[in-house]
């Protein structure tokens, strides 16, 4: 008994602190280009996707096993568009093939982005860090203690308390004045009322991403390949009662084919962590999905699984732009109002969101290139049109761009859509429909959120940052006049908040679903009907956790890594 206690204690120390010497980002000895990979290799675990979940998962598993982490993009390190808060929006504006952001436009007509870079969406987002609520953790059946330990493990590397300055303070006080109470101060916890959340930007304005969690990795237990695009998962079927994942085929930047196999052993696995678009896409490309859809693309059906790609969800975001008579600080998401009727209120300000950039060559969220709040509709973005728009904006006085956004995002959402393949090329975006506001409750939540925003704008606390001469209807019409999406517009939209919600819907990049627990994977994230294959990322969510999912996605990678190791060690000990 005493011996078992000693072993358990040592195991805990090993899992949560590690015996091995770690390496500091960005100088990972185990990170290399896929062109250096052998034609054939073998590992205990193969993880497809070095994103927000894949990095912490790989770091954890590498403590005990040999792990191959395959990332289709490059390194985030050394890219100022990723690193610096002041450059937010620039990576999203980059439409080049080497961009860390791959643009896609949903069938709903909303402009969106998916990551193709080590660290995933944590390299592109506005940095807000907030945990899931305790009710969420309980509802999905997670172990609360391990969840908390996993959050702390993440936070020790990437989470910080933001400096809250004048504009964000005015929004915070306006929320409280509008009845979004109590005021909970700074906290990572998801609690009703108004709070200051965490951020993955440090005091110097430098972004810390999920890639930094690889500092926890055992350098001798992990191989990380960049620009490694997985084309399919390989399955064994002959003589087996059900398909068994056996390995993956991937190509490097030069197009050369490589095959990686999982070693013999019933607990070795392929784990898909490619995100809400990439994971259902990868299962389909590998023959796991709706059989008729796969046959239409000449894909051999390994398992008819009609739920793959179903229940796609994206939290609709609607914002009101508020011009300011005073200069405002550059801030991303810091303050959040967690209302009791299913809406989250957030804010962002300064040159990234108001449109003015000191370089006078890009304009943050108003950029002619970026899409959201652009002055040039996407289908008209020729080089000549973009140059003309930038020149016109350069001629404007900087004061015309002062201000920021107050936005609302609804919980859930309840409305769902679906994802389908366009082609068999894993580099191509799939077709995805989110069906924003299909369910009336989602639309009502949006309206309720906009009413809170209007109260904030009219509050005494926020008064110094708005022009008295610009009415609320004028602010709504101002925001609606920008081509924020590809949907048709209505005149004098301010008369109907319901129409404003529909006409100005945007994404806040929190899409999820497609490989949900209970439909595609079980409670252990194992793909139902297949052996040696899991999906661990936001595609498994039935509901977006908290006000921002990134903290929970990183936590999930760590959480499941610890669970997998613990279960495996326990089984090996019992044998």
């Amino acid at each position: 008994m005493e011996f078992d206690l000693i072993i358990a204690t040592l195991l805990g120390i090993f899992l949560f602190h590690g015996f091995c010497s770690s390496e500091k980002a960005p100088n990972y000895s185990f990170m290399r280009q896929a062109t250096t990979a052998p034609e054939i290799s073998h590992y205990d675990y193969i993880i497809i996707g070095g994103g927000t979940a894949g990095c912490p998962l790989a770091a954890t598993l590498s403590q005990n096993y040999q792990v191959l982490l395959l990332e289709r993009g490059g390194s985030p390190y050394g890219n100022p568009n990723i690193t610096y808060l002041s450059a937010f929006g620039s990576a999203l504006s980059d439409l080049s093939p080497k961009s860390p952001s791959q643009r896609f436009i949903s069938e709903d007509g909303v402009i969106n982005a998916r990551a193709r870079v080590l660290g995933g969406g944590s390299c592109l987002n506005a940095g807000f860090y907030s945990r899931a609520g305790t009710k969420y953790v309980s509802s999905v059946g997670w172990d609360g203690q391990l969840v908390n330990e996993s959050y702390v493990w993440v936070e020790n590397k990437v989470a910080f308390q933001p400096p809250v300055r004048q504009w964000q303070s005015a929004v915070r006080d306006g929320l409280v004045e509008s009845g979004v109470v109590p005021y909970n101060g700074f906290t990572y916890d998801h609690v009703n009322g108004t709070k200051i959340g965490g951020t993955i930007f440090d005091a110097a304005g430098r972004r810390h991403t999920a890639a930094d969690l690889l500092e926890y990795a055992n350098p001798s237990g992990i191989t990380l390949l960049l620009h490694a695009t997985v084309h399919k998962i390989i399955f064994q079927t002959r003589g087996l009662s059900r398909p068994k994942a056996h390995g993956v085929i991937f190509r490097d930047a030069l197009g050369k084919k490589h095959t990686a196999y999982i070693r013999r052993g019933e607990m070795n696995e392929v784990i898909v962590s490619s995100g809400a678009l990439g994971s259902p896409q990868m299962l389909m490309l590998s023959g796991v999905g709706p059989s008729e859809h796969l046959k239409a693309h000449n894909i051999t059906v390994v398992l008819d699984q009609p739920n793959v790609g179903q229940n796609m969800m994206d939290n609709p975001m609607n914002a009101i732009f508020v011009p300011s008579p005073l200069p405002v600080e550059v801030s991303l998401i810091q303050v959040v109002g967690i209302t009791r009727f299913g809406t989250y209120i957030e804010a962002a300000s300064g040159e990234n969101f108001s449109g003015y950039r000191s370089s006078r060559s890009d304009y943050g969220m108003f950029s002619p290139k970026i899409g959201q709040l652009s002055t040039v509709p996407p289908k008209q973005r020729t080089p000549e049109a973009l140059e003309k728009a930038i020149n016109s904006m350069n001629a404007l006085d900087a004061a015309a761009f002062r201000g920021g956004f107050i936005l609302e995002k609804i919980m859930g959402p309840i409305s769902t859509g679906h994802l389908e393949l366009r082609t068999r090329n894993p580099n191509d975006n799939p077709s995805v429909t989110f069906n924003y506001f299909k369910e009336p409750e989602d639309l009502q939540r949006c309206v309720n959120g906009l009413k809170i925003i209007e109260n904030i704008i009219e509050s005494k606390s926020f008064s110094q940052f708005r022009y008295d001469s610009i009415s609320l209807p004028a602010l709504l019409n101002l925001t609606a006049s920008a081509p924020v999406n590809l949907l048709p517009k209505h005149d004098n939209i301010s008369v109907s908040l319901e129409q404003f919600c529909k006409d100005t819907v945007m994404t806040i990049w929190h899409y999820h679903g497609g490989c949900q627990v209970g439909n595609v994977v079980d409670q252990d994230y194992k793909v139902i009907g297949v052996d040696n294959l899991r999906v661990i990322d936001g595609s498994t969510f039935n509901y977006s956790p908290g006000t921002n999912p990134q903290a929970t996605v990183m936590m999930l990678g760590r959480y499941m890594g610890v669970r997998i190791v613990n279960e495996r060690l326990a089984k090996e000990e019992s044998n």
Side-chain angles (χ1 to χ4, degrees), residues 279-309:
S279 289
Q281 179 185 30
M282 179 51 56
L283 291 184
M284 289 183 186
L285 290 174
S286 305
V288 178
S291 59
E292 292 305 313
H293 180 57
L294 301 186
K295 290 175 184 176
H297 286 273
N298 294 318
I299 295 172
T300 301
V301 178
V302 174
L303 177 70
D304 180 16
Q305 173 45 288
N307 291 320
V308 173

Side-chain angles (χ1 to χ4, degrees), residues 168-364:
Q168 288 278 343
S169 295
V171 174
R172 174 199 64 199
D173 296 343
L175 274 163
V176 174
E177 189 178 330
S178 300
V180 185
V181 292
Y183 175 59
N184 297 298
F186 167 71
T187 179
Y188 293 141
D189 293 335
H190 184 82
V191 286
N192 284 339
T194 297
K195 73 165 192 171
I196 306 298
T199 178
I200 59 173
F201 289 97
D202 63 24
R206 295 178 64 92
R207 183 191 294 268
H208 294 258
T209 75
D212 292 7
L213 299 175
L214 291 169
E215 292 184 354
Y216 284 119
N218 174 3
S220 63
I222 183 172
T223 299
L224 163 58
L225 298 180
L226 301 175
H227 297 111
T229 301
V230 177
H231 282 246
K232 65 182 297 185
I233 301 164
I234 307 168
F235 291 96
Q236 291 178 320
T237 56
R238 184 175 300 176
L240 300 175
S241 60
R242 48 196 258 159
K244 176 181 177 181
H246 182 44
V248 302
I249 294 173
F250 66 95
R251 294 187 182 274
D252 61 31
L254 299 178
K256 183 179 178 181
K257 177 181 172 182
H258 305 261
T259 305
Y261 295 100
I262 51 175
R263 291 171 173 158
R264 292 193 176 188
E266 62 176 310
M267 302 194 77
N268 293 336
E269 293 177 316
V270 174
I271 304 176
V272 185
S273 296
S274 301
L277 263 64
S279 289
Q281 179 185 30
M282 179 51 56
L283 291 184
M284 289 183 186
L285 290 174
S286 305
V288 178
S291 59
E292 292 305 313
H293 180 57
L294 301 186
K295 290 175 184 176
H297 286 273
N298 294 318
I299 295 172
T300 301
V301 178
V302 174
L303 177 70
D304 180 16
Q305 173 45 288
N307 291 320
V308 173
Q310 297 302 306
N311 297 309
M312 294 297 299
M313 292 169 278
D314 187 25
N315 298 85
M317 185 264 280
N318 293 83
I320 299 178
F321 175 61
V322 187
S324 172
L326 299 177
V328 298
E329 73 267 16
V330 174
S331 70
L332 300 181
I333 309 300
Q334 295 179 348
V335 174
V336 61
I338 300 173
T339 72
R340 298 182 183 275
F341 50 77
T343 296
Y344 306 135
I345 312 298
E346 301 173 351
S349 64
E351 59 190 27
N352 304 85
F353 284 86
S354 66
Y356 179 71
R357 290 289 300 276
S358 58
S359 66
R360 306 307 296 266
S361 61
D362 200 354
Y363 289 89

Side-chain angles (χ1 to χ4, degrees), residues 429-478:
N429 288 320
S431 167
V432 60
T433 304
F434 293 116
N435 288 324
Y436 298 105
F437 302 126
K438 179 181 178 182
E439 298 297 331
E441 187 174 341
D442 286 340
L443 185 59
Q444 186 58 51
R445 285 176 170 177
C446 176
V447 170
N448 293 341
L450 289 174
K451 289 178 180 178
I452 293 290
I453 294 175
E454 290 182 339
N455 290 339
I456 295 169
I457 294 171
E458 293 189 315
S459 69
K460 181 179 179 182
S461 303
F462 193 75
S463 60
Q464 64 177 322
F465 290 111
R466 65 158 297 187
Y467 288 97
D468 291 334
S469 58
I470 305 180
S471 66
L472 276 172
L475 290 176
L476 290 169
N477 286 325
L478 172 66

